Amino acid sequence: MSRIAVVGLACRYPDAASPRELWENALAGRRAFRRLPDERMRLADYWDPDPAAPDRFYATNAAVIEGYEFDRVGHRIAGSTYRSTDLTHWLALDVAGRALADAGFPGGEGLPRERTGVVVGNTLTGEFARANLMRLRWPYVRRTLAAALREEGWADDRLGSFLADLEERYKEPFPAIDEDTLAGGLSNTIAGRVCNYFDLKGGGYTVDGACSSSLLSVATACRALLEGELDVAVAGGVDLSIDPFEIIGFAKTGALARREMRVYDRDSNGFWPGEGCGMVVLMRADLAREQGRRVYATVAGWGVSSDGKGGITRPEVSGYRLALRRAYERAGFGVETVALFEGHGTGTAVGDTTELTALSAARAEAAPDAPPAAIGSIKGMIGHTKAAAGVAGFIKAVLAVDARVLPPSVGSVDPHPVLAEDGAPLRTLRRAEPWPQDAPVRAGVTAMGFGGINTHIVLEGEGDGQDGRGRGRGLDAVTRELAASPQDAELLLLDAGTTAELRARVAELADWVPSVSYAQLADVADAARRRLSGRPYRAAVIATSPEQAERELRRLLEALDAGETALYTPNGSAFLGHVTRPARVGYLFPGQGAGRSTTGGALRRRFAEADAVYSRVRLPQTGDMAATEVAQPRIATGSLAGLRVLERLGLRADVAVGHSLGEITALHWAGAVGADAL
């Protein structure tokens, strides 16, 4: 099959205003989740911890775009048109323009306008158009309220005056219906808006494949290019739908996460919602090269299928396998040659199991001895952006192929049982890795949607040979630094000259931290660290989320209000202290029964000293982690790695104690047992 070149990229997702920011966030494992802001949807109105509560949802977190402003004046859009049109239209227009500029067509200059088309993935337009419909529901509200007040004995003259005032207040937030309202509330006119602005005449329309919409739009555009209908295509998706209709609807299907959102994990329990927009510019590869366009990657094939008689809201193995088969038949190579999969990965128990089972079986049947491929999902970073989800994963995979880097599988903490089986064909990554030297630079991207729609697109690196091999691989300095930065928790440190001053600082942070995202918690920790000045009254909190940080800070406030100056919580996550003399440090080395991971976790990702210890020992990655033959080397390795990191940080202990197996590590600390012997 002739290849389709990806020549332009642009996006706006939570905590990512550009593809570069999205890629750096992926490498660094930054997660954009935060408590759902009241400005978007009041938790007091809609949240209930009981999943069965009517008209309520049970998840409190989402990934939302902050600080976005559409340049109406710069785009020469009339104020009335702007106000009457759903924001999805303007976000899509903005991002499409940026994608065209990235492709070398700034402002649409140089485009073959009669042979340039636009295909946008979207479902239900957006939350703003839906909210504005409430204006037209006033007659129902008036009748219902009037009937209730008459039953309470209100006279007609009093009722009429009250309802007249209320009507004005009720309608005030919603723009008046005008000649732009209907077009501004339709999904298809999102694509039409882009065509209209840039004077494109190759055709513009919206495809609705539910959560598969935006990846389906890319496949649709590729087909139009391959068949010669278009020379340039803008494709992607937009979704701004964090509103009661969608969120409560997902809650009633059980799809929202009841605990921490995990992806391809033993505790996959649902997703947190997200939003955003992604657009790509596509051309036939030969034409793009002829024009000297920068090619990020090429589309080698795609496959689309439906689940037939399968479930309407849950994926089926057979349907997904069919999309995979069609994609790789079109590509001309096998699924076993692909080193990276950007999966659908919603984090639901059924969805993750179905996807991993189908893809693992396809690879195992194609080549049982093929090295395991990496798999991840961008939803672990920005939540489920629904109609804009597929293109978000597509952009991430394109950038991975372009950089020759396998990004970490954000959100996979304890890999799913399908991935933990001996000889599993897939694996998740805790940190970025160079593209395998002996593997073709190929990636597969998947999206699935309600109604049983499945889409899979295959990418190949530009500049590689017929076998997909060619350009060098490796991590540059910036990538190495970003890849080393993810960690499992943050340390918030505060100090002050008096208890009153310390209380004020703890209270300030406790009031602020609920509004930050998971990723920004690291920024908060760094900002707090920079304010330290060695003062005697001190507080510390270890937190894995903004919610936990607030909870532990409130605990410190309670202790300070009770007059306490010393506190150490049982779980070690909150600390108060008053320094009166130089500290002494002691180490306690654990015995058998501690932990269960052999990966080295954040310690190994962050510190070369720990990585060197783990690389030397080569602990098993699968099997029974509690078995003595695995547990003892695992625990001793973890202790030795921790000791090397503490030495690297300049920490020296005055005394060390070992429990059980830890006695041997303590002897090593004392110099009685060498590292090789340990």
Side-chain angles (χ1 to χ4, degrees):
M1 187 196 88
S2 298
R3 298 303 196 237
I4 303 298
V6 183
V7 298
L9 303 171
C11 67
R12 183 67 187 249
Y13 287 103
D15 287 358
S18 68
R20 177 52 51 191
E21 288 185 8
L22 191 73
W23 176 241
E24 290 179 351
N25 288 347
L27 293 174
R30 289 175 66 90
R31 309 180 78 201
F33 303 113
R34 68 180 72 235
R35 183 179 299 175
L36 186 60
D38 281 348
E39 294 85 353
R40 299 299 300 276
M41 195 157 50
R42 285 173 53 87
L43 292 175
D45 293 338
Y46 293 106
W47 179 80
D48 193 296
D50 180 6
D55 304 329
R56 299 288 190 274
F57 58 82
Y58 51 82
T60 60
N61 288 331
V64 299
I65 294 174
E66 289 205 316
Y68 175 74
E69 291 186 17
F70 176 71
D71 185 2
R72 177 183 68 80
V73 175
H75 283 82
R76 304 183 304 281
I77 305 297
S80 60
T81 302
Y82 174 75
R83 289 187 292 273
S84 296
T85 301
D86 194 277
L87 187 58
T88 51
H89 287 237
W90 308 125
L91 180 60
L93 174 60
D94 186 3
V95 175
R98 295 174 190 271
L100 286 169
D102 186 57
F105 302 109
E109 295 178 11
L111 281 171
R113 298 183 191 275
E114 291 190 357
R115 295 185 58 78
T116 299
V118 179
V119 188
V120 176
N122 178 259
T123 299
L124 296 173
T125 311
E127 65 182 80
F128 305 95
R130 291 200 290 274
N132 290 345
L133 289 175
M134 290 181 63
R135 181 185 180 95
L136 300 180
R137 302 302 182 190
W138 167 249
Y140 171 77
V141 174
R142 182 188 61 213
R143 288 196 308 271
T144 303
L145 190 56
L149 292 176
R150 285 193 180 98
E151 290 177 1
E152 294 296 319
W154 282 48
D156 285 348
D157 56 345
R158 181 188 179 194
L159 185 59
S161 174
F162 172 77
L163 290 176
D165 290 341
L166 182 60
E167 179 178 5
E168 184 176 346
R169 294 176 61 184
Y170 177 88
K171 291 183 176 180
E172 191 275 331
F174 312 116
I177 306 301
D178 61 19
E179 66 274 15
D180 292 311
T181 301
L182 181 58
L186 296 179
S187 175
N188 193 64
T189 45
I190 299 173
R193 189 85 56 186
V194 177
C195 290
N196 177 270
Y197 184 82
F198 292 105
D199 194 26
L200 307 179
K201 301 174 181 178
Y205 53 93
T206 296
V207 297
D208 184 351
C211 299
S212 187
S213 296
S214 57
L215 199 63
L216 186 62
S217 78
V218 175
T220 303
C222 287
R223 184 176 294 109
L225 289 164
L226 189 63
E227 293 177 355
E229 295 177 10
L230 301 174
D231 289 336
V232 179
V234 179
V238 60
D239 195 294
L240 299 175
S241 293
I242 298 181
D243 72 344
F245 177 71
E246 286 210 2
I247 305 308
I248 294 174
F250 277 123
K252 295 313 174 188
T253 68
L256 297 185
R258 289 173 169 81
R259 298 177 295 280
E260 188 84 8
M261 182 181 172
R262 294 282 182 253
V263 178
Y264 303 137
D265 192 275
R266 288 183 185 274
D267 192 32
S268 291
N269 67 101
F271 64 79
W272 287 333
E275 61 186 355
C277 178
M279 294 287 178
V280 300
V281 180
L282 307 169
M283 301 176 68
R284 287 184 297 279
D286 54 356
L287 180 60
R289 294 175 186 130
E290 179 183 315
Q291 295 182 3
R293 304 285 171 192
R294 188 241 201 270
V295 177
Y296 288 95
T298 58
V299 175
W302 60 86
V304 178
S305 71
S306 289
D307 290 335
K309 289 187 176 181
I312 286 290
T313 60
R314 55 184 288 165
E316 299 287 340
V317 169
S318 59
Y320 180 36
R321 289 286 302 271
L322 181 58
L324 290 171
R325 187 171 75 244
R326 288 171 173 167
Y328 291 97
E329 285 176 354
R330 187 184 292 271
F333 50 77
V335 66
E336 76 281 0
T337 69
V338 175
L340 172 66
F341 290 94
E342 174 63 24
H344 186 56
T346 57
T348 64
V350 172
D352 281 8
T353 299
T354 299
E355 183 180 1
L356 293 174
T357 299
L359 186 54
S360 295
R363 284 180 57 83
E365 289 177 13
D369 298 326
I375 187 168
S377 169
I378 200 166
K379 295 178 183 66
M381 296 167 46
I382 60 173
H384 194 349
T385 57
K386 305 172 292 292
V391 74
F394 182 85
I395 291 171
K396 176 188 165 192
V398 164
L399 293 171
V401 165
D402 184 54
R404 272 53 174 177
V405 172
L406 302 178
S409 309
V410 180
S412 179
V413 177
D414 188 4
H416 193 281
V418 173
L419 304 176
E421 297 172 358
D422 289 338
L426 299 169
R427 64 189 179 113
T428 54
L429 306 182
R430 290 305 302 270
R431 64 176 294 170
E433 296 179 4
W435 206 279
Q437 287 290 341
D438 57 348
V441 183
R442 293 169 180 162
V445 187
T446 294
M448 304 173 182
F450 278 8
I453 183 75
N454 307 288
T455 306
H456 187 78
I457 291 182
V458 188
L459 294 168
E460 195 162 32
E462 173 68 358
D464 292 314
Q466 291 295 317
D467 61 355
R469 297 174 173 85
R471 278 174 40 187
R473 300 104 192 268
L475 305 183
D476 59 28
V478 173
T479 301
R480 283 197 301 272
E481 184 176 357
L482 289 168
S485 64
Q487 53 192 43
D488 305 313
E490 296 296 338
L491 176 62
L492 307 179
L493 299 171
L494 303 169
D495 66 7
T498 65
T499 54
E501 183 185 349
L502 183 63
R503 190 204 180 282
R505 294 203 58 200
V506 171
E508 177 187 29
L509 196 56
D511 290 340
W512 183 44
V513 78
S515 66
V516 305
S517 70
Y518 278 58
Q520 291 168 341
L521 189 61
D523 305 330
V524 171
D526 184 58
R529 178 190 63 82
R530 293 174 184 273
R531 294 181 64 183
L532 296 175
S533 58
R535 290 169 289 187
Y537 290 92
R538 300 176 181 180
V541 161
I542 297 173
T544 60
S545 68
E547 180 182 17
Q548 184 186 11
E550 182 192 15
R551 185 168 60 248
E552 300 301 338
L553 288 165
R554 299 290 179 199
R555 184 180 299 186
L556 293 181
L557 281 177
E558 291 176 3
L560 288 167
D561 288 341
E564 299 178 30
T565 58
L567 173 71
Y568 186 79
T569 57
N571 63 358
S573 58
F575 168 85
L576 278 178
H578 179 208
V579 177
T580 58
R581 57 180 174 78
R584 299 184 68 210
V585 177
Y587 291 159
L588 173 60
F589 294 104
Q592 192 158 340
R596 65 177 183 176
S597 173
T598 59
T599 66
L603 199 69
R604 185 178 186 182
R605 294 195 300 274
R606 291 297 299 270
F607 296 100
E609 293 80 3
D611 183 54
V613 172
Y614 276 93
S615 297
R616 180 180 180 185
V617 176
R618 297 182 181 178
L619 295 169
Q621 301 299 304
T622 59
D624 184 0
M625 296 293 112
T628 300
E629 62 272 18
V630 176
Q632 290 192 353
R634 170 175 58 77
I635 294 164
T637 300
S639 295
L640 182 59
L643 190 57
R644 293 292 178 266
V645 170
L646 292 171
E647 291 170 354
R648 157 77 168 74
L649 297 175
L651 219 60
R652 298 288 185 271
D654 300 295
V655 63
V657 179
H659 166 251
S660 182
L661 173 67
E663 295 175 22
I664 302 175
T665 316
L667 288 171
H668 166 71
W669 170 84
V673 174
D676 290 340
L678 177 62

